[in-house]
Amino acid sequence: MGYPGKNHKSYQTPKRPFEKTRIESETRLVIEYGLRNKREVWKAQAYLRKYRKGARNLLVLASSAADKDLYESKKDELISHLQRAGLLGADADIEDVLSLKVQAQLERRLQTLVYRKGLARSPKQARQLITHGHIAIAGRRTNIPGYRVTRKEETEITYFGTSPFVSDSHAEKERIAKPASTPKTSAFARPQGYGRAGGR
């Protein structure tokens, strides 16, 4: 055991760092969920890996037929925990734990749920609102975009009491309620004809 006051890595880096298909899939997840970097994908994978390992250990315990009561109690404990976390449905079983994808964990992030509930125009804006202290869970300000929201807390996500977004007359809130029908041009896009061939 290391020094308890020291931070430790909560993820594992890929064993094959230059695998093309993995890099492309992780890049799509970073863009889709508005993540800061791929470390957040690796953290979600490590979080699910822990539960999949527990499910495999339960299958080994079930095959040994040593103590069925112990197996059932541990199975119910694992599944009920994942149900409270919002990762599994009502009629889930051990096979459902083993088939969990990283997207299931990314969907439970506060950043994703703020966007899904219509409190932000995009995942990137949802991250900005959270880090700037505009989002609260059950009235308590939460400024961690990667916070894992439980099923019980999901309905309690709102704007923080003193945030200007609480007011219906806030200009940005009106844009969130009525998104633009045509995509805006990127601020970093160069105008046509600019550069060597453009004569400028």
Side-chain angles (χ1 to χ4, degrees):
M1 177 180 175
Y3 180 66
K6 184 179 179 181
N7 293 328
H8 297 276
K9 278 203 312 184
S10 57
Y11 62 91
Q12 295 178 359
T13 55
K15 294 181 179 179
R16 299 176 61 186
F18 302 109
E19 188 178 5
K20 182 179 179 181
T21 56
R22 178 192 56 77
I23 292 174
E24 291 176 348
S25 64
E26 289 177 351
T27 302
R28 284 194 296 269
L29 290 175
V30 169
I31 296 172
E32 179 182 356
Y33 290 96
L35 305 179
R36 184 179 181 184
N37 49 44
K38 293 181 180 179
R39 282 197 297 269
E40 296 188 336
V41 178
W42 300 338
K43 288 179 182 179
Q45 291 171 343
Y47 182 75
L48 292 181
R49 193 179 298 120
K50 175 178 63 174
Y51 293 113
R52 284 197 291 263
K53 181 179 179 181
R56 288 193 296 269
N57 291 338
L58 282 175
L59 291 177
V60 173
L61 182 63
S63 62
S64 65
D67 193 345
K68 290 295 182 183
D69 294 334
L70 179 62
Y71 164 73
E72 290 296 334
S73 65
K74 287 185 173 293
K75 172 187 169 183
D76 293 341
E77 182 181 354
L78 175 63
I79 292 178
S80 62
H81 173 77
L82 293 176
Q83 286 172 341
R84 290 193 301 271
L87 294 172
L88 292 179
D91 301 324
D93 204 350
I94 291 295
E95 288 75 15
D96 297 311
V97 180
L98 294 173
S99 62
L100 281 172
K101 303 297 183 183
V102 68
Q103 288 88 342
Q105 172 57 31
L106 295 176
E107 287 289 338
R108 302 310 306 173
R109 288 167 49 91
L110 178 59
Q111 177 183 355
T112 305
L113 289 174
V114 167
Y115 171 62
R116 296 280 189 249
K117 289 173 70 69
L119 301 178
R121 284 186 291 164
S122 66
K124 287 288 188 182
Q125 189 187 40
R127 188 183 191 96
Q128 184 185 44
L129 292 178
I130 294 167
T131 55
H132 288 190
H134 294 290
I135 300 299
I137 299 177
R140 185 174 182 179
R141 178 182 287 167
T142 306
N143 58 1
I144 304 173
Y147 176 79
R148 292 188 286 268
V149 181
T150 64
R151 195 177 297 277
K152 180 181 178 182
E153 295 172 331
E154 186 174 351
T155 58
E156 301 174 336
I157 300 175
T158 57
Y159 293 117
F160 187 63
T162 59
S163 170
F165 282 84
V166 175
S167 174
D168 293 333
S169 60
H170 194 279
E172 183 62 25
K173 193 172 181 181
E174 292 178 0
R175 296 191 190 100
I176 293 172
K178 298 179 181 179
S181 56
T182 56
K184 294 182 179 179
T185 306
S186 172
F188 299 100
R190 294 198 304 180
Q192 192 172 5
Y194 186 90
R196 294 180 182 176
R200 256 183 167 182

